[in-house]
Structures are given as structure tokens and as C-alpha cells.
Amino acid sequence: MAVFRVGYHSTMPRFQRFLARPLAGLPSVCLAVSLMFPLALCSPPSAFGMDDLPELGDIAGSEFSVAAERRIGQQIMHEIRWREPAFLDDPDIEAYLNQLGGRLAAVGADPGTGFYFFAISDPAINAFAMPGGYIGVHTGLILAAQSESELAGVVAHEIAHVTQRHIARQVFQSKKIGMASMVAMGLALLAARSNGQVAGAAAVTSQAGAISAQLAFSRDFERESDRVGFDLLSRAGFDPRGMSAFFERLQKSVRLYENNATAYLRTHPLSGERVTDMQNRELRAAYRQVPDSLDFHLVRARLRAQLGVPAEAVRDFQNLLAEGKYASRPAALYGLAQAQLRSRNWAAAEIALREARADRNGSAMIERLFAELRLAQGNVDEGLAIYRRAAERFPRHHGLVFGYAAALLASRHYQDALRFVDAQLSSFPDEVRLYRLRAESYAGLGRRAPQHLALAEAAALQGQTQAAIEQLNLAQRAGDANFFESSSIDARLRELKQRRVEEMKEKRN
């Protein structure tokens, strides 16, 4: 299984080097690949047609439960979010990916894991699925997609890996691999994603027979994910031709970049059979012209505005607007405003934003940037008012939620921030960042016990049970908890201590 890249980085961040060390000792690099399914474009040809595929997802090994898969995914996601430099902590882009992915997942067969979509700041054209429904999308993929349906096609393919329980099936084939080893292998694969030499070194140490067996197995997975993903794309209202269009363009690009491809790519030449299978399915589907959403273009403009030095980004968007070379004028104006904001040219940013706001009925991303502009100009009251109105209009947009809460904290409106965060937790009870914002609100108010309780909940949600227990111990010793808070702290501490005992038993087994 391979990942198409437009080249790989010659240097690795410190965390990636740390994760890469155990990779060479793995019994088979393909087993690690099974835990994080990258966008595979090189599966060998199959002897049977798309419609003859076995229903692999129907017999996912019962030894690897959905709950266990979710715990593994949580641990890997924790490492990525807080230690991986390439993790893109941008709530606007994350909100868009979860809206897009949620639309696709809603028409699929979720095995009970739920889904979480996040961005990796990497020019490589890639996407990958991890245990527990965690799906990463590289910024290079977002920028390379020429339509929203193309991007949706790749995301649908990754969703299919989860709904068909491909990871569980691979673990079922490797019963001697423990949970800790699976987490380590998944992390190692992420570390190797930007360095072909690491992946190549691992392949050299792998047993040829094991590699062949795993590749044959993953070939079926890839074909099934193509088929299920195509169905998701159609039922979610996207153009199903987007999937084959994107894959076909990447197929041609592989030839173009063949000399710069990783060793893994060179040993797994891209076959056109999968693209042909998709195109054959398209012949039976009615033609549908699906317009891209404004948010798709805004996200691409946001990413593009963050490339290079600010002055170059400004010139880029100025040229696009002057020559009319844009798919969406509001998005081009938004990108120009974002670049001008980076240049600290507040006046020019405001001109572009006002025009972008006038072109459409409104956008959460545009409103958030306008609020941030006002805050950067020192107009705190107006910035907060823009945030407040936009949050009421787009109540489920994470960019506005986190931006407004952070703005309230920055302006020392701690009580307002706490009320807002608590209201959001009723809608997003599993959102780690909201608990961290709650902790900051309590810290600003000088309330140590509820501050540590909020940090404990954040740690527990990330699978860090011991860290959560330590925070609860601090909450007990804080001395400023009321009766209700003390009862909550004590009850939660008992619950998490029992969970820790069970985790240690599972680790020993």
C-alpha cells in the first residue's frame, strides 16, 4: 500500500524522529499500514470485478471490539493533537472537514465509533483513517482537489475503511499484537509519512512473505472502500465522478513525479484498474452537476493565504482578483483579507472583508475573520459583538465557538466565557477544548477546584486516565469547592480509579 506524494521532506520534526525509531523493528511494515489506512493508490490488479467483492466488513473479528478500537484511536489522536507539530489546530478548517465528513458518514453504516476529522499541515496529497473513526486530511489534498466532490470522494474512501471495520480485521489476523504495540505502530506510520527513507528502511527489514500476504489482504480492502465510498458519495448528494476524476489525475501525476517518489511508491506502481472500476460504476449513475459550497472555497483560500511570506500571499490574491482567475469571488476576497491581516494591514483587510460580506448572505468563516480584525485593531467591544451575533446565527460552527470563548478570556470576561462554554458543552459534551476553556475561565475567576475538575475531564476524554486522576487529587486539595463540586470530584475520582485498574489489567493481558 502506498501514498502518493509530490516529494518528501528531507528533515523530520523531533517528535517524528522519536516515533520513527521503533519502526525498523516491526515484523511487517504493512501491519502498521493496516492501523492507519493512507490514501492507497497502488494496490495490485485484482482478478475479479468490483461487483464481485466480498463483504469484508460483515465479518470484522469480534476479538477486536469497537470500544477497544476507539481507545486505540483516542491514544493516537492525543499524541497527534498535543505533540505532532504538523497537526493543524485551526477550528475553521476542522469545522469544515467535520461538516463534510459528517454529511458523508450520515448516509453510511457507522459501526458505533463515531467520526472525527482533522487536518495535517503537510503538502503531501494524502488522507488516512485511524482506529476509532479518526480521519486525517492533509492540507495538500485540500489544495489539490479541484472540486468539493473530489475531496469528498477521498474522505468517503477513508470513511469506508472505518465502517467496514478493516482495521479490526487486520488485528484479527495478528492476534499476538498487543494494544500498546498497535498504538506505537500507528504513530510510527504517521511519523514516516513525510520521510520515504524511514518507510524504505522498515520495508527492508520486513519479511517478504508477510508483506505479500498483507498487500493481498489490503488490496481487497482498498477495492471495497472504493465501492462503499462511491455509494456514500452518491447518497450524500455529491458528484460520484469526483472520486475517479481525482484518482485519475493522481495516476497521471505519479508518472510525472516518478523519480522523486518514495521507495514505497517505486516498488508499488500505480494501476489504473481501480479508476476503471469507478468509471464503470459511473456509467450506471445519472449525471449530476453539484456546485461547490462556499466553505470549500473559503477553506482553500485560508490555506493558500497562509503559504509563504505575507507580502507574497497578498500579491497572489491581488493578481487572482485582478485577472478574474477564481472559482469564488467572496473566497478570493476572504483570502486577500487573511493575507492582509498577516501583513498587519488592517485597513486593506477591512476593505476586502466588507466586499466579501456583501457578496453572499453570510459565512461563519468570514464573520470570524471580521471579528478577529476588530480585536486586532483594539476594538474589543465591537469584536465581541460580531462574534456574539455570528455565534447566534451559526451556533454549531466550531471556529466561532472557540474564537468567541478565547476572545472573552483574552478580554478578561471570565464569567461570560464560563457561561458561554457551559452552554456549548450541552451541545458538544465530548469536546476537549471546551473543557480546557472552562478551566481557563475558572482560573481567571480564581476557582482552583473546578479548574482542576475541568482539566480532569479534558484528560479523561483523551484517554489519559492517570493524568485525570492527578487533576482530581489537586481538585480535592484546592479547598474552595462547594458541596456539589466536592461530591462530583469524589464520585468522578472513584470512577476513574476503577477505570485505571481495568486499563492496567488489560495492559498486562
Side-chain angles (χ1 to χ4, degrees):
M1 188 180 295
V3 178
F4 171 72
R5 308 180 193 281
V6 292
Y8 62 85
H9 307 290
S10 58
T11 60
M12 293 187 354
R14 178 173 58 85
F15 180 58
Q16 291 184 339
R17 291 197 298 271
F18 167 76
L19 291 177
R21 287 200 295 269
L23 192 58
L26 295 180
S28 169
V29 70
C30 295
L31 181 58
V33 172
S34 75
L35 295 177
M36 292 174 64
F37 287 94
L39 173 60
L41 304 173
C42 60
S43 300
S46 173
F48 45 82
M50 178 70 77
D51 292 320
D52 296 324
L53 281 169
E55 290 293 344
L56 302 178
D58 293 342
I59 49 174
S62 59
E63 285 82 352
F64 188 39
S65 69
V66 170
E69 190 174 345
R70 184 71 176 179
R71 287 198 300 274
I72 291 171
Q74 284 178 333
Q75 291 182 49
I76 298 174
M77 193 65 230
H78 171 76
E79 298 295 328
I80 293 173
R81 180 183 288 280
W82 303 114
R83 300 190 190 182
E84 168 57 53
F87 174 77
L88 185 58
D89 190 10
D90 187 313
D92 283 317
I93 295 173
E94 186 177 302
Y96 169 72
L97 290 177
N98 278 278
Q99 179 274 327
L100 176 75
R103 178 176 165 184
L104 291 161
V107 298
D110 187 343
T113 60
F115 286 91
Y116 173 72
F117 303 85
F118 62 97
I120 292 290
S121 181
D122 193 315
I125 301 174
N126 192 13
F128 54 90
M130 300 190 306
Y134 294 93
I135 295 178
V137 179
H138 284 213
T139 54
L141 170 62
I142 299 172
L143 290 171
Q146 293 182 2
S147 72
E148 190 167 32
S149 290
E150 288 190 357
L151 176 60
V154 179
V155 175
H157 177 95
E158 298 307 319
I159 289 174
H161 278 308
V162 177
T163 61
Q164 300 307 104
R165 301 217 63 208
H166 290 166
I167 299 172
R169 287 186 56 80
Q170 290 284 49
V171 174
F172 179 72
Q173 296 295 318
S174 309
K175 297 178 183 177
K176 295 182 180 180
I177 302 298
M179 186 176 293
S181 298
M182 288 187 282
V183 172
M185 285 189 289
L187 288 168
L189 180 64
L190 180 70
R193 77 182 196 288
S194 297
N195 191 295
Q197 295 173 337
V198 174
V204 169
T205 63
S206 302
Q207 298 177 3
I211 291 177
S212 299
Q214 292 290 344
L215 281 176
F217 203 46
S218 63
R219 174 186 62 195
D220 291 341
F221 286 169
E222 291 306 309
R223 288 170 57 81
E224 186 179 38
S225 289
D226 287 342
R227 182 185 65 185
V228 174
F230 183 93
D231 186 52
L232 292 176
L233 202 61
S234 299
R235 288 195 284 144
F238 292 101
D239 182 1
R241 290 162 179 78
M243 181 181 283
S244 66
F246 191 74
F247 277 64
E248 185 176 21
R249 195 163 67 254
L250 288 185
Q251 183 188 31
K252 294 176 181 177
S253 299
V254 166
R255 303 190 191 102
L256 193 65
Y257 290 98
E258 184 175 2
N259 293 332
N260 294 324
T262 64
Y264 213 91
L265 266 182
R266 288 194 295 270
T267 57
H268 297 77
L270 179 63
S271 167
E273 188 211 13
R274 286 173 57 198
V275 176
T276 301
D277 284 337
M278 294 176 210
Q279 291 172 336
N280 289 337
R281 294 182 69 82
E282 290 171 2
L283 295 176
R284 301 194 294 269
Y287 175 75
R288 177 190 302 167
Q289 187 172 12
V290 181
D292 299 328
S293 71
L294 175 59
D295 282 351
F296 169 72
H297 294 296
L298 290 173
V299 164
R300 285 165 49 84
R302 183 175 182 84
L303 289 172
R304 190 167 179 175
Q306 294 169 353
L307 297 175
V309 298
E312 292 176 351
V314 169
R315 285 195 297 270
D316 181 22
F317 281 101
Q318 285 175 335
N319 291 336
L320 286 177
L321 287 162
E323 298 169 8
K325 294 181 178 179
Y326 48 75
S328 166
R329 181 173 176 79
L333 289 164
Y334 170 85
L336 176 60
Q338 182 76 58
Q340 295 285 19
L341 204 60
R342 286 183 64 201
S343 298
R344 302 182 67 81
N345 189 337
W346 314 136
E350 181 164 350
I351 291 171
L353 270 178
R354 286 192 178 279
E355 189 175 350
R357 292 177 91 198
D359 272 20
R360 286 292 182 102
N361 292 326
S363 159
M365 289 180 64
I366 292 175
E367 292 305 303
R368 180 175 182 234
L369 190 61
F370 198 37
E372 289 298 315
L373 172 62
R374 282 289 180 261
L375 293 171
Q377 292 171 320
N379 194 336
V380 175
D381 289 341
E382 187 176 351
L384 291 176
I386 294 170
Y387 258 132
R388 185 167 54 253
R389 290 193 297 268
E392 291 172 355
R393 188 174 179 185
F394 306 100
R396 300 191 66 82
H397 192 275
H398 278 193
L400 289 172
V401 169
F402 301 134
Y404 184 35
L408 286 169
L409 289 170
S411 57
R412 300 190 176 186
H413 289 72
Y414 301 121
Q415 194 63 54
D416 291 338
L418 182 59
R419 280 195 294 267
F420 178 74
V421 169
D422 283 348
Q424 297 304 314
L425 278 168
S426 64
S427 299
F428 309 107
D430 296 329
E431 178 50 64
V432 172
R433 282 174 293 194
L434 286 177
Y435 281 102
R436 291 181 173 270
L437 289 166
R438 176 189 256 181
E440 289 184 49
S441 301
Y442 277 121
L445 293 169
R447 298 290 317 285
R448 294 180 57 222
Q451 174 194 356
H452 289 298
L453 176 57
L455 289 174
E457 294 300 342
L461 283 170
Q462 296 169 95
Q464 304 298 306
T465 308
Q466 185 57 44
I469 291 172
E470 292 168 2
Q471 288 295 330
L472 289 171
N473 287 331
L474 290 172
Q476 281 185 328
R477 296 195 294 268
D480 62 345
N482 57 37
F483 175 79
F484 176 78
E485 290 166 343
S486 295
S487 298
S488 297
I489 292 168
D490 294 343
R492 194 71 170 119
L493 187 56
R494 288 193 297 271
E495 180 183 350
L496 289 178
K497 283 182 175 179
Q498 180 59 39
R499 181 193 296 182
R500 184 60 178 162
V501 170
E502 294 169 358
E503 289 175 351
M504 296 304 293
K505 287 180 180 178
E506 189 174 72
K507 186 177 181 180
R508 287 193 296 270
N509 294 333

